Amino acid sequence: MRQHRWVILLVVTALVILVKVPVKADVLDKTMSIGGTTVHYKVVLPKNYDPGKTYPGVLGFGVGPQTMNVVDNVIARNFRDETEKRGYIVVVPAAPNDELFFEGGERIFPEFLKQILAAYKIRDNKFHIAGPSNGGIASFHVASLNPDYFLSITAFPGYLWEETPAHIQAISKMCINMFVGELDPMGWQPLMQKQAAEFRAKGMTATYTVEKGQPHRLDTLAGPNAGRLFDLFEQASHGCSK
């Protein structure tokens, strides 16, 4: 009986521990083949994900080399917690064959998006696109090449890599958000400020925000502050506000 009682106590204790562990958003490690190229990517699903329901979607990109390690970092830093809280689906691919998404890797689109839309129910079949640094540049570039798939662009930091009339026209209906650190050593502030002003002069909705005291890597949009990104996504879902 004593032994039986200890077993019961252990089971109850284990159940209590399980109850106290918060349910986190699922992060799935996936691959797909596009034109003979294997694309590695991760999908962040909200807690209690229901495949029959429709969710708002985000296509994210990482910094630097845009490898899977970078994908993991940007998910943990900028996307996972808010995906869990707000009920989003976030997809972050790694650069195929180490080609950045503005230096050849963009060739996987739009097929990559078509396959994602076939696998998951994304609201209105449109995504918000976002990323820091090279991820911000990639966001602008991919959106400008595939405008039918995107509602908003959020670069933190980042800018339009190919500033041609055709590329600008392609993103002209999207809500554009540009963030840069006050202390960014890369010197992107003048370029981003100028570009945002040019967008607004063309009647586009574009904001430019300097994050006080921040370097290139913006902590003010990460971790507990990542909600600011999702606030922008939700705002864009209801139309851009100038």
Side-chain angles (χ1 to χ4, degrees), residues 60 85 106 126 152 170 195 198 223 231 240-241:
K85 292 176 184 176
E106 66 273 21
K126 288 181 180 287
S152 71
Q195 203 168 74
E198 290 173 351
D231 288 344
C240 307
S241 61

Side-chain angles (χ1 to χ4, degrees), residues 69-96:
N69 285 340
V70 170
V71 167
D72 289 336
N73 182 266
V74 76
I75 287 174
R77 182 173 164 80
N78 301 108
F79 296 128
R80 184 172 184 176
D81 287 348
E82 292 299 319
T83 296
E84 174 190 342
K85 292 176 184 176
R86 306 200 192 201
Y88 274 66
I89 292 176
V90 177
V91 182
V92 186

Side-chain angles (χ1 to χ4, degrees), residues 6 167 221:
W6 275 110
H167 283 80
L221 293 169

Side-chain angles (χ1 to χ4, degrees), residues 5-239:
R5 187 164 60 249
W6 275 110
V7 171
I8 293 174
L9 286 172
L10 288 171
V11 170
V12 172
T13 301
L15 288 173
V16 170
I17 291 172
L18 286 173
V19 168
K20 289 184 177 180
V21 174
V23 178
K24 299 294 287 185
D26 289 330
V27 180
L28 309 180
D29 197 341
K30 311 277 282 184
T31 62
M32 74 169 67
S33 180
I34 299 177
T37 297
T38 299
V39 181
H40 297 267
Y41 64 102
K42 292 202 172 183
V43 178
V44 189
L45 299 176
K47 64 180 181 180
N48 303 319
Y49 168 69
D50 180 352
K53 287 181 58 177
T54 298
Y55 297 87
V58 177
L59 177 68
F61 294 107
V63 304
Q66 300 182 326
T67 59
M68 284 304 291
N69 285 340
V70 170
V71 167
D72 289 336
N73 182 266
V74 76
I75 287 174
R77 182 173 164 80
N78 301 108
F79 296 128
R80 184 172 184 176
D81 287 348
E82 292 299 319
T83 296
E84 174 190 342
K85 292 176 184 176
R86 306 200 192 201
Y88 274 66
I89 292 176
V90 177
V91 182
V92 186
N97 298 333
D98 297 325
E99 295 176 287
L100 301 181
F101 287 107
F102 50 91
E103 294 183 343
E106 66 273 21
R107 71 182 184 279
I108 70 169
F109 301 101
E111 182 59 30
F112 180 84
L113 297 171
K114 291 177 180 178
Q115 292 195 36
I116 294 297
L117 290 172
Y120 304 98
K121 292 187 176 182
I122 303 297
R123 184 182 298 162
D124 299 324
N125 291 325
K126 288 181 180 287
F127 298 83
H128 306 280
I129 190 168
S133 192
N134 275 356
I137 295 174
S139 295
F140 268 107
H141 188 62
V142 171
S144 71
L145 296 176
N146 305 275
D148 292 341
Y149 291 91
F150 300 104
L151 292 169
S152 71
I153 303 169
T154 303
F156 51 103
Y159 52 89
L160 183 61
W161 182 252
E162 293 186 85
E163 197 176 1
T164 68
H167 283 80
I168 294 172
Q169 178 60 34
I171 64 172
S172 62
K173 303 302 182 183
M174 300 178 202
C175 309
I176 298 171
N177 308 292
M178 305 170 76
F179 294 88
V180 67
E182 179 186 25
L183 307 178
D184 190 333
M186 304 289 285
W188 289 11
Q189 298 96 329
L191 173 60
M192 291 177 60
Q193 183 177 26
K194 176 177 178 290
Q195 203 168 74
E198 290 173 351
F199 292 159
R200 289 193 295 270
K202 295 178 183 295
M204 299 164 62
T205 302
T207 64
Y208 169 75
T209 305
V210 176
E211 297 293 295
K212 297 297 183 183
Q214 292 292 298
H216 193 70
R217 189 172 187 254
L218 301 179
D219 289 335
T220 49
L221 293 169
N225 300 314
R228 295 176 63 197
L229 298 174
F230 284 75
D231 288 344
L232 293 170
F233 302 155
E234 292 183 5
Q235 178 179 302
S237 295
H238 298 92

